[in-house]
Amino acid sequence: SYNDFLMIVKTNGERLRFSTKNPFRLPEEKRMRLMESAWEEFTHIRYADGSIIKIIQAAGIPRGSFYQYFDGKEDLFFYLLETILSRP
């Protein structure tokens, strides 16, 4: 459904859709650990060099569990952005 996607509109008008496999099903404590680990990874190294393995290890989340909620690094990155941008 449409709600299963996050829409990002770039400054050039290009629209990108990313799957969000409902990360809200992930227990809040694990979701927060994952977001904090992703923030640390993406703010300290280039996105291209970011590692899902490092992120999930730092968060203490099994790799298989990660892929139940996210399609991959890009999906996690845009979910993190949306989370940050939606804060009051």
Side-chain angles (χ1 to χ4, degrees):
S1 79
Y2 183 79
N3 292 331
D4 293 336
F5 292 90
L6 167 66
M7 181 71 73
I8 301 292
V9 180
K10 296 168 79 174
T11 55
N12 67 0
E14 179 183 1
R15 293 177 181 265
L16 305 173
R17 281 180 34 167
F18 294 92
S19 170
T20 54
K21 292 183 176 180
N22 198 357
F24 292 107
R25 287 190 349 227
L26 188 62
E28 180 65 16
E29 178 198 350
K30 288 183 180 179
R31 192 174 71 79
M32 291 307 298
R33 286 195 329 250
L34 184 60
M35 293 298 102
E36 289 169 8
S37 297
W39 175 259
E40 287 298 312
E41 182 77 359
F42 294 133
T43 58
H44 287 92
I45 62 172
R46 295 178 333 146
Y47 169 82
D49 296 331
S51 167
I52 288 299
I53 298 297
K54 288 179 183 176
I55 292 169
I56 61 177
Q57 284 176 345
I61 296 171
R63 186 176 183 180
S65 292
F66 172 81
Y67 287 104
Q68 287 180 325
Y69 302 103
F70 297 96
D71 287 332
K73 180 170 70 171
E74 191 171 57
D75 195 25
L76 174 62
F77 181 78
F78 281 104
Y79 178 75
L80 177 64
L81 271 178
E82 184 200 21
T83 301
I84 292 167
L85 293 174
S86 67
R87 289 182 181 168

